[in-house]
Amino acid sequence: MASILDQYVDSLSHSASSQQNRASLGIPHTGYVNARLEKETPIFNKQRIDFNPPEKINSLVVSSNQLCMSLGKDIIFRLDLAKADEPNQVELGRKDEARVHKLFLDHTGSHLIIALNTSECLYLNRSAQKVRILSRWKGHLIESVGWNKFLGSEMNTGPILVGTSQGQIYEAEVSVSEGSLFGTNPDQYFRQIYNLEEEAGPAPVCCLEIERGIDGKCFIIATTRKRLFQFVGKIPEGSEQQAFGAIFSMPADHLPGFREFPASLGYSEIAFYTPKLRSTPSAFAWMMGNGVLYGSLDYGRPDSILSDEQVWEYPSDVDAVANKPMNIVLTQFHFLLLFPDRVKAVCTLNGQVVFQDVFLEKFGSLKRMIKDPAFGQIWIHTEKAVFRYNVQRESRDVWKMYTNINKFDLAKEYCKDRPECLDIVLAKEAEYCFQNKRYLDSAKCYALTQNYFEEIALKFIEAKQEEALMEFLIKKLASLKPSEKTQTTLLTTWLTELYLNRLGVLEADASKRDLYEKTRDKFRSFLGSPKNKDCLFNNRATIHELLASHGDTEHMVYFAVIMHDYERVIAHYCQHENYNEALEVLSKIRDDVLFYKFSPVLIQHIPKKLVDAWIEMGKKLDAKNLIPALVNYSQSGSTEQINEAIRYMEFCVSELKETQQAIHNYLLSLYALCRPDSLLSYLERAGTYADNIHYDLKYALRLCAEHGHHRACVHVYKVMEMYEEAVDLALQVDVDMAKSCADLPEDDEELRKKLWLKIARHVVQEEKDVKKAMACLSSCNLLKIEDVLPFFPDFVTIDHFKEAICNSLEAYNKHIEELKTEMEEATQSAKRIREDIQEMRNKYGSVEPQEKCAACDFPLLNRPFYLFLCGHMFHYDCLLQAVYPNLPAYKQAKLEDLQKKLSATSQPSKSHHRPKDTDTSSQGKGQLSREQMKADIDDIVAAECVYCGELMIRSIDKPFIDPQRYEEEMQSWL
């Protein structure tokens, strides 16, 4: 097999050369074809808005789909982009020459601040149609507003920051409410909290941004023409109108942290990018005189949140006078710069200009560019037109840029859904790792590419990187389809050979023991992989040959176990006399067939452990199938070996409750042979009822007789109900045992007496013990002194029986006296009963006319009735109705029969003639019969009071409502 693999490795060089030939013919190295079926849409797709302004557009702002623009001198045009057919115009109502300097719209699109060039400010809410003057702001030319995104709402801005052209920063708050009775100003307060300066003195506050970090920290970014300031602090709880004062309150000699650049455009602007599903920006870009400073925001840093900063310097065609950038917008991977006649997009990953859009002169010069922070759309306007850029699939080519700068993980993130791009990234990453001698990482990446298998394998072979080659083969094997069986077989066999080679080398080096164990664990994991199971099973003969050729018996056994070829494993251990290992495998797999097969061998060497394993298997083993092994073993073994057989049989009988006769008979034979003391206790535990005994009684009797175990024989005789034989044999052993046997036939007094006579004869004739013979008389009440006397010889004097004879006579006299006493008591009882009967005949009770039936509450004397000694009185029919349901079935039948007969005798005769004497006599007999029937009915119905007798006690658990009528009764109450 190894030679076949060597031939295959040699063939790789030929396949590599053929691959070069295919490459020269234009065959690609990957399995993907890069083709675009249609023209791809640009990332920044421009669209002109169908809007012709009536006057020049001075300024435009957009936020949360709310667009506001200043037209001409006096008009504010508002439009909800979700309702484009409902525009709104508001007039400022200014009669002076004031013009709009800048517009500021908050993040919700609700609050619009209008800064005029006359150092005045107006306020317009989205729900209002009239502008309001911010009187406290008068005298300041507003350059920037920092909105409060955390406390602001549609009705109130919350504390905000306002920057002026003189470098002053004010804290303010604007509310929609009309204010108090004495004031209607919307501005709640306007308080200066800081001054920004540059080297030459105060400088305009170009931009303000408020962000909140972790642990309640607040970060404020403020920019001037050349400087970027950062203020960090916590807002004290409960200080609503002095929210930012604590952040800006610092000693006069302590300056805040700032970044400064020498050149100046006369202004600066900072832009932020906020990812979806996040409330805080993750990146920034600051447009200033020297270029664009951009990077990410890290809110975990203590003083400055700016991180990974880079500077993009303006190219030579940017002029600080005639062609300078006016605005900046930041997206996920680009920042856009607005120039007077064009827009440029620069990639933040490589600093390259990737997009440039030149506007026609007919639209006029570009005035302003702004981005909707909520929806990501970019808006640009001139004095005559409005344009919108939609950002589409901005990340489409990002993977290339990350690949070029060797950021492969990020590159793979952005081409997950594009397998052809992912393949290119993986190939470049693999080559990069190979060149940097990271061979294992290279192998993992190569395995995921579509590059030629032979080329990659040969590459690692030439570099003598066997471990990397194995990693590549493992990964490649994992990627194969189930239908590729030939490739799977080849890779599986090759990997097995490589693993065995490596294990052989590492095992010989004691210093690499840890590495050997790791490699061994990997090899075992490879052999036990579910994905490789079918392939290994189909080629198990080849794998066994490889393992045998390397002399790796350990993994031969391991592989056989994985393939469930346990018979081979156990046979291997037994051949090499590793009986403990063989038993361990048997115990793990718990296969009853293999237990039956190998138990005859194992019991000869490790009997105790094998019996422990049998016991652990419990009912999974059929003990009857193990008896042959035990028989051979016990016949040739010592007492200790036989004890192990007894231990297992006892377990089967006591724990498993085995009832097979063969098992019980074998246990009996072992007891009779080696443990006679346990034999009798086993027989006694088995009981004395033949139907419940699982051993063969005749076999047990013969076995016990052969080995001379008379007590056990007596027990078997008792079970077989052969009491005479039991007593005869017991008299040879112990008289007391014979006595216990004699008392067993309880229902046959004649037999008992016969057995006791046998005992008495034995005691008198064999033991010649008169006292013991007399004791037999007291032990059995069936024997009398006259039964025992014939057994004694003639020469025995009466003195030996004097006491017994006297006791017998005294017993007779006592019995006679007891009979006399009983006769006298019976005579007295009969006399008292006759007196009671006579007294009852004369007993009566009085019933008042107003008495009523206890059952129906009607007058009692209207119908036949019963009067009880307890005082309760019932009509005959009421009592019958109460008693009848509680009578037993046979009494109910008898009562019905008596009533039918009584009604039949009560019918008058059809003949009007006087009956003859014979008829008179027969009628008299019938009259007696009628009275007897009435008495019988009374005995049944009026035996006891229905309220005071046992009938009431027996009905204590009877429900008040019949269960069959419960539902009907319940419905009647609803």
Side-chain angles (χ1 to χ4, degrees):
M1 189 65 204
S3 61
I4 296 174
L5 293 175
D6 294 337
Q7 293 174 7
Y8 174 73
V9 172
D10 293 337
S11 68
L12 292 180
S13 59
H14 299 291
S15 62
S17 62
S18 63
Q19 173 214 329
Q20 293 175 357
N21 295 332
R22 290 194 301 269
S24 64
L25 294 175
I27 299 175
H29 285 254
T30 64
Y32 300 102
V33 177
N34 294 320
R36 293 181 179 177
L37 301 180
E38 57 184 15
K39 188 176 180 181
E40 206 169 27
T41 306
I43 295 175
F44 302 101
N45 187 21
K46 183 175 71 175
Q47 176 188 6
R48 183 185 176 187
I49 304 301
D50 186 13
F51 173 68
N52 295 317
E55 298 188 50
K56 292 182 179 180
I57 303 173
N58 299 322
S59 183
L60 180 145
V61 288
V62 182
S63 183
S64 295
N65 243 8
Q66 302 295 319
L67 181 146
C68 300
M69 66 176 71
S70 169
L71 301 179
K73 173 184 174 183
D74 202 45
I75 296 176
I76 297 297
F77 178 85
R78 297 186 297 178
L79 179 65
D80 186 347
L81 296 176
K83 305 174 183 177
D85 55 344
E86 299 178 9
N88 176 259
Q89 291 188 12
V90 177
E91 294 186 359
L92 299 181
R94 305 286 297 189
K95 297 181 180 179
D96 52 12
E97 295 300 320
R99 292 184 175 276
V100 174
H101 174 61
K102 283 187 177 181
L103 296 179
F104 305 97
L105 186 63
D106 78 315
H107 61 286
T108 65
S110 302
H111 307 283
L112 177 67
I113 294 177
I114 307 165
L116 304 179
N117 58 1
T118 56
S119 298
E120 294 180 275
C121 284
L122 306 176
Y123 171 71
L124 180 62
N125 189 270
R126 182 167 64 181
S127 59
Q129 295 294 325
K130 181 180 178 182
V131 297
R132 303 176 68 186
I133 299 175
L134 301 176
S135 58
R136 292 186 174 90
W137 297 36
K138 190 173 182 179
H140 303 285
L141 183 61
I142 305 303
E143 293 289 344
S144 58
V145 174
W147 296 103
N148 194 328
K149 292 179 283 188
F150 313 104
L151 298 178
S153 64
E154 294 184 0
M155 304 301 292
N156 191 295
T157 63
I160 60 175
L161 296 178
V162 180
T164 69
S165 59
Q166 299 301 315
Q168 301 156 336
I169 297 178
Y170 287 84
E171 181 181 349
E173 184 175 356
V174 180
S175 177
V176 180
S177 62
E178 294 295 333
S180 63
L181 181 65
F182 302 100
T184 60
N185 293 332
D187 47 339
Q188 304 297 308
Y189 63 92
F190 191 75
R191 181 180 301 105
Q192 183 178 353
I193 56 176
Y194 201 76
N195 282 325
L196 291 183
E197 295 184 355
E198 293 182 351
E199 291 180 354
V205 182
C206 299
C207 295
L208 283 169
E209 182 72 16
I210 304 170
E211 297 298 340
R212 181 175 294 176
I214 58 177
D215 299 331
K217 263 187 183 179
C218 186
F219 295 88
I220 298 173
I221 296 177
T223 64
T224 61
R225 292 169 295 192
K226 298 193 295 183
R227 289 183 177 180
L228 186 149
F229 294 86
Q230 295 184 71
F231 300 89
V232 183
K234 286 190 177 182
I235 299 176
E237 295 182 3
S239 57
E240 296 181 357
Q241 293 191 351
Q242 298 180 0
F244 302 110
I247 299 175
F248 287 95
S249 60
M250 57 183 69
D253 57 346
H254 180 75
L255 295 177
F258 65 89
R259 295 291 308 275
E260 184 175 15
F261 289 87
S264 173
L265 298 172
Y267 53 87
S268 72
E269 184 170 288
I270 191 167
F272 296 91
Y273 170 72
T274 303
K276 293 180 180 180
L277 306 178
R278 281 189 57 176
S279 60
T280 54
S282 62
F284 77 96
W286 179 39
M287 181 189 73
M288 38 74 182
N290 290 83
V292 177
L293 175 70
Y294 62 95
S296 59
L297 299 178
D298 184 359
Y299 297 95
R301 302 179 67 181
D303 298 325
S304 173
I305 62 174
L306 306 184
S307 177
D308 301 330
E309 301 174 33
Q310 298 182 58
V311 177
W312 181 78
E313 296 183 358
Y314 295 129
S316 58
D317 60 338
V318 176
D319 187 353
V321 179
N323 189 30
K324 60 182 179 180
M326 298 182 293
N327 296 110
I328 186 170
V329 163
L330 181 63
T331 63
Q332 186 177 5
F333 297 106
H334 302 84
F335 60 81
L336 282 74
L337 294 173
L338 179 70
F339 293 89
D341 62 341
R342 70 192 61 200
V343 174
K344 288 185 178 182
V346 180
C347 179
T348 56
L349 299 178
N350 56 15
Q352 300 295 318
V353 177
V354 297
F355 173 77
Q356 185 171 238
D357 190 8
V358 180
F359 286 73
L360 301 177
E361 293 182 1
K362 66 178 182 178
F363 299 122
S365 62
L366 304 179
K367 294 297 183 181
R368 181 171 173 78
M369 176 174 64
I370 193 168
K371 176 185 167 185
D372 186 341
F375 290 86
Q377 296 173 333
I378 301 170
W379 297 79
I380 297 176
H381 77 91
T382 66
E383 291 182 347
K384 301 177 182 180
V386 178
F387 300 90
R388 179 175 62 193
Y389 283 98
N390 291 314
V391 182
Q392 298 180 344
R393 295 179 56 227
E394 185 182 4
S395 62
R396 68 183 70 171
D397 295 327
V398 169
W399 64 273
K400 295 180 182 177
M401 302 172 192
Y402 278 129
T403 302
N404 293 332
I405 59 177
N406 298 328
K407 292 185 177 181
F408 300 108
D409 290 337
L410 292 172
K412 285 182 280 189
E413 284 290 326
Y414 288 99
C415 58
K416 282 182 177 179
D417 54 344
R418 301 171 68 183
E420 72 281 1
C421 303
L422 182 61
D423 188 73
I424 297 173
V425 174
L426 288 169
K428 289 201 173 185
E429 183 181 7
E431 187 62 30
Y432 175 81
C433 294
F434 192 90
Q435 292 175 358
N436 287 274
K437 300 186 183 306
R438 291 163 47 197
Y439 297 109
L440 284 177
D441 294 334
S442 176
K444 293 176 183 177
C445 294
Y446 269 132
L448 299 175
T449 66
Q450 299 295 321
N451 289 26
Y452 294 118
F453 172 82
E454 296 89 344
E455 177 189 1
I456 300 169
L458 191 60
K459 196 170 187 177
F460 286 116
I461 292 172
E462 292 175 348
K464 297 182 180 179
Q465 294 298 322
E466 189 174 291
E467 186 177 0
L469 175 61
M470 291 170 61
E471 186 68 27
F472 170 69
L473 295 178
I474 290 171
K475 297 292 183 183
K476 205 67 180 176
L477 178 62
S479 65
L480 291 178
K481 300 176 182 177
S483 58
E484 297 174 320
K485 295 183 179 180
T486 304
Q487 294 89 331
T488 302
T489 302
L490 176 63
L491 292 182
T492 302
T493 311
W494 192 2
L495 276 168
T496 303
E497 176 71 16
L498 291 174
Y499 268 122
L500 291 173
N501 288 337
R502 184 165 178 78
L503 286 171
V505 173
L506 294 175
E507 190 176 16
D509 192 346
S511 62
K512 296 181 179 180
R513 185 64 186 174
D514 293 341
L515 183 57
Y516 167 77
E517 291 179 354
K518 289 181 180 179
T519 307
R520 182 191 60 188
D521 293 341
K522 287 183 179 179
F523 181 43
R524 291 185 175 183
S525 177
F526 166 75
L527 291 176
S529 171
K531 185 176 179 60
N532 305 330
K533 184 176 180 180
D534 292 339
C535 178
L536 290 169
F537 184 79
N538 294 331
N539 299 277
R540 58 186 182 278
T542 305
I543 301 298
H544 273 298
E545 289 179 9
L546 277 175
L547 292 168
S549 66
H550 284 266
D552 195 342
T553 56
E554 178 185 1
H555 286 103
M556 283 181 66
V557 173
Y558 183 82
F559 181 69
V561 171
I562 291 175
M563 294 294 105
H564 301 295
D565 192 1
Y566 300 113
E567 187 173 352
R568 182 194 294 266
V569 176
I570 300 169
H572 170 80
Y573 282 136
C574 290
Q575 289 172 3
H576 291 79
E577 298 183 356
N578 293 327
Y579 302 111
N580 289 321
E581 287 81 356
L583 180 59
E584 185 177 352
V585 174
L586 270 175
S587 301
K588 285 182 179 178
I589 61 175
R590 303 174 70 84
D591 188 334
D592 55 336
V593 176
L594 293 180
F595 261 106
Y596 301 145
K597 182 173 182 178
F598 290 98
S599 287
V601 177
L602 296 176
I603 200 169
Q604 301 294 332
H605 303 280
I606 48 173
K608 185 179 185 306
K609 292 183 178 179
L610 180 62
V611 171
D612 290 339
W614 286 350
I615 292 174
E616 187 178 354
M617 286 288 289
K619 288 192 174 182
K620 289 188 177 182
L621 290 179
D622 187 353
K624 184 173 65 175
N625 295 330
L626 296 172
I627 290 179
L630 290 171
V631 170
N632 295 333
Y633 169 62
S634 59
Q635 287 178 353
S636 60
S638 62
T639 304
E640 181 181 358
Q641 295 169 330
I642 295 175
N643 287 337
E644 293 300 324
I646 293 175
R647 182 162 70 94
Y648 181 64
M649 290 292 104
E650 287 178 340
F651 169 77
C652 295
V653 171
S654 60
E655 300 295 332
L656 301 183
K657 309 299 181 184
E658 283 287 353
T659 60
Q660 297 184 69
Q661 193 176 76
I663 295 173
H664 287 265
N665 288 346
Y666 181 58
L667 180 58
L668 266 176
S669 66
L670 293 175
Y671 278 147
L673 182 65
C674 295
R675 290 190 189 176
D677 296 338
S678 301
L679 176 61
L680 184 59
S681 61
Y682 164 76
L683 293 174
E684 290 175 348
R685 286 197 306 272
T688 57
Y689 295 100
D691 295 338
N692 298 333
I693 289 175
H694 305 297
Y695 56 84
D696 188 344
L697 289 169
K698 294 180 181 179
Y699 173 76
L701 185 61
R702 180 173 58 83
L703 195 67
C704 296
E706 286 179 358
H707 292 84
H709 303 312
H710 297 303
R711 290 181 179 271
C713 287
V714 170
H715 181 83
V716 176
Y717 277 132
K718 289 193 295 183
V719 176
M720 298 173 72
E721 297 183 357
M722 299 172 66
Y723 301 116
E724 292 188 35
E725 291 80 354
V727 171
D728 290 341
L729 185 59
L731 289 174
Q732 300 177 22
V733 180
D734 186 6
V735 174
D736 291 334
M737 181 186 293
K739 289 179 180 181
S740 64
C741 295
D743 283 331
L744 291 177
E746 298 177 353
D747 300 333
D748 193 345
E749 290 188 356
E750 184 179 350
L751 179 59
R752 282 178 59 201
K753 186 175 181 179
K754 181 179 179 181
L755 297 177
W756 276 103
L757 287 173
K758 282 190 174 188
I759 297 173
R761 180 187 293 113
H762 174 80
V763 171
V764 173
Q765 296 178 354
E766 300 296 333
E767 297 186 5
K768 296 180 173 47
D769 191 340
V770 178
K771 291 184 179 180
K772 190 179 289 188
M774 294 300 101
C776 290
L777 295 177
S778 61
S779 300
C780 179
N781 55 1
L782 299 177
L783 294 182
K784 302 292 186 290
I785 185 62
E786 56 269 23
D787 297 327
V788 182
L789 285 176
F791 301 145
F792 289 94
D794 296 336
F795 57 84
V796 177
T797 61
I798 197 171
D799 294 339
H800 295 89
F801 312 108
K802 181 178 179 180
E803 184 178 355
I805 293 172
C806 293
N807 291 337
S808 179
L809 292 173
E810 289 177 1
Y812 281 127
N813 289 332
K814 185 178 180 181
H815 184 61
I816 291 170
E817 291 298 326
E818 288 176 355
L819 289 175
K820 287 181 179 180
T821 304
E822 290 178 2
M823 291 173 64
E824 291 177 359
E825 290 177 354
T827 303
Q828 294 295 327
S829 297
K831 182 179 179 181
R832 285 195 297 271
I833 290 171
R834 284 194 295 271
E835 291 174 354
D836 291 342
I837 291 173
Q838 186 64 32
E839 184 180 353
M840 289 298 295
R841 286 178 178 175
N842 300 326
K843 194 168 185 178
Y844 66 93
S846 61
V847 178
E848 299 294 333
Q850 67 272 16
E851 292 291 347
K852 296 182 180 181
C853 175
C856 66
D857 205 29
F858 280 92
L860 185 68
L861 299 178
N862 289 351
R863 302 197 299 274
F865 64 89
Y866 289 100
L867 172 63
F868 292 95
L869 293 176
C870 60
H872 288 116
M873 292 169 279
F874 301 91
H875 288 129
Y876 166 75
D877 53 344
C878 295
L879 182 63
L880 178 63
Q881 185 178 0
V883 171
Y884 183 81
N886 298 286
L887 291 175
Y890 74 93
K891 283 193 176 184
Q892 290 181 353
K894 183 177 180 181
L895 181 61
E896 291 176 358
D897 184 56
L898 289 172
Q899 287 177 330
K900 288 179 182 179
K901 291 180 179 180
L902 184 63
S903 62
T905 59
S906 64
Q907 292 179 358
S909 176
K910 295 181 180 180
S911 174
H912 297 283
H913 298 284
R914 183 177 180 84
K916 297 181 180 179
D917 294 340
T918 57
D919 296 336
T920 304
S921 62
S922 65
Q923 187 179 5
K925 292 179 181 179
Q927 186 68 23
L928 293 175
S929 177
R930 177 181 173 82
E931 294 299 327
Q932 183 63 42
M933 285 188 287
K934 284 184 177 182
D936 292 341
I937 292 174
D938 290 343
D939 289 341
I940 296 173
V941 176
E944 60 180 2
C945 177
V946 72
Y947 286 171
C948 303
E950 293 183 2
L951 180 63
M952 182 60 68
I953 297 173
R954 289 197 302 269
S955 64
I956 192 68
D957 58 346
K958 182 178 179 182
F960 291 108
I961 301 174
D962 188 356
Q964 297 179 355
R965 298 184 61 254
Y966 180 79
E967 293 293 334
E968 179 184 350
E969 187 71 22
M970 186 175 65
Q971 293 296 330
S972 67
W973 283 79
L974 297 178

